[in-house]
Amino acid sequence: MKLRNAALLIFLLLVIDQYSKIYVKTNFILGEQVKVFNWFKLYFIENEGMAWGTVIPGEYGKLFLTLFRIIAVGVIAYWLWDSVKKRKNNFLIVAISLIFAGALGNIIDSVFYGVIFDDSTHRLATLFTDQPYGTLFHGKVVDMFYFPIIEDYVLPSWIPLWGGKEITFFNAIFNVADVAISTGVGILIVFNKRAFAHTSEPSNVTIAPWEGETHEEVSTPKE
């Protein structure tokens, strides 16, 4: 897979991710939800960018998280470039591209959303506002996809520990970037052998010509 093809995939995912986030951010109030189907809702929430809304405590917790993720994206970008250069398996290149696009998509929120949007708590947010809700590197990640396939189900009382409690499955709320990352990781897990398969590269072996014959090169694969 060529680098330009990987770049095109990343670009398309970033466009879809950012369009969906900006649409929700400017058309939903924080906490608002719209039922598409009984098992699928658009539910606008914001988080600090860690899984399940986890927050790093402290004054510089958010800044540390954002900077760490920027460094991680740089490492992933190098991994992608190196894999393309070495002509690694397409499964690996596609997986890395998905993970890179997803990570970069959420970093855009963390770095810039705090300075280009105003608060969404009580009214629709304004893009490129003069009253931003945060500062550079302190933006919040926008999530919106919610699939409560089983919602508010009460477990039978005879089940130890959890009996009588209400559960919702699936209760995570996520975005396009999260889907890209999860898909990329899934490819690496499911197609592990193909993704990391050794790729033999041709090498030129010069065969010495017999007297009176022309010089000839034969390409043989590396062992």
Side-chain angles (χ1 to χ4, degrees):
M1 186 174 184
K2 295 181 179 180
L3 187 59
R4 67 168 175 265
N5 294 333
L8 178 60
L9 174 60
I10 293 168
F11 175 76
L12 290 175
L13 286 171
L14 284 175
V15 169
I16 296 171
D17 176 64
Q18 289 302 309
Y19 176 82
S20 62
K21 289 173 177 175
I22 293 173
Y23 175 82
V24 169
K25 184 77 173 167
T26 56
N27 287 273
F28 287 66
I29 297 174
L30 189 65
E32 182 179 356
Q33 55 182 298
V34 174
K35 183 171 72 174
V36 180
F37 302 106
N38 289 332
W39 47 268
F40 172 44
K41 298 178 181 179
L42 291 177
Y43 191 166
F44 174 32
I45 66 168
E46 293 178 316
N47 63 72
E48 299 296 337
M50 293 186 68
W52 306 100
T54 306
V55 177
I56 297 179
E59 181 180 356
Y60 299 103
K62 172 62 177 178
L63 178 61
F64 172 80
L65 173 62
T66 302
L67 294 177
F68 173 79
R69 294 172 68 198
I70 291 174
I71 294 172
V73 164
V75 173
I76 297 171
Y78 175 79
W79 185 21
L80 175 61
W81 174 82
D82 186 63
S83 297
V84 172
K85 179 183 178 182
K86 293 179 178 178
R87 299 182 181 180
K88 296 292 185 178
N89 190 281
N90 285 345
F91 280 93
L92 178 62
I93 296 175
V94 169
I96 299 173
S97 298
L98 291 172
I99 295 171
F100 177 78
L104 185 58
N106 283 336
I107 282 179
I108 291 174
D109 298 28
S110 296
V111 174
F112 298 111
Y113 275 25
V115 296
I116 65 174
F117 284 108
D118 52 14
D119 186 63
S120 300
T121 305
H122 303 294
R123 58 189 176 87
L124 298 179
T126 303
L127 181 61
F128 301 121
T129 179
D130 56 356
Q131 295 180 325
Y133 73 81
T135 57
L136 198 66
F137 297 104
H138 289 81
K140 295 181 179 180
V141 176
V142 175
D143 291 326
M144 76 290 293
F145 298 130
Y146 181 39
F147 290 86
I149 299 173
I150 300 174
E151 189 172 22
D152 299 330
Y153 175 75
V154 179
L155 293 172
S157 58
W158 53 265
I159 298 179
L161 300 179
W162 297 285
K165 294 183 178 180
E166 291 185 353
I167 64 167
T168 298
F169 180 83
F170 179 68
N171 65 347
I173 305 174
F174 51 93
N175 55 43
V176 174
D178 297 330
V179 174
I181 294 173
S182 299
T183 303
V185 172
I187 291 174
L188 294 180
I189 294 173
V190 176
F191 301 100
N192 181 273
K193 290 185 178 180
R194 291 190 181 184
F196 295 99
H198 174 72
T199 304
S200 60
E201 298 180 1
S203 60
N204 293 328
V205 178
T206 303
I207 299 180
W210 293 96
E211 186 177 353
E213 292 182 352
T214 58
H215 181 76
E216 198 175 84
E217 287 190 349
V218 178
S219 294
T220 57
K222 288 181 179 179
E223 294 296 334

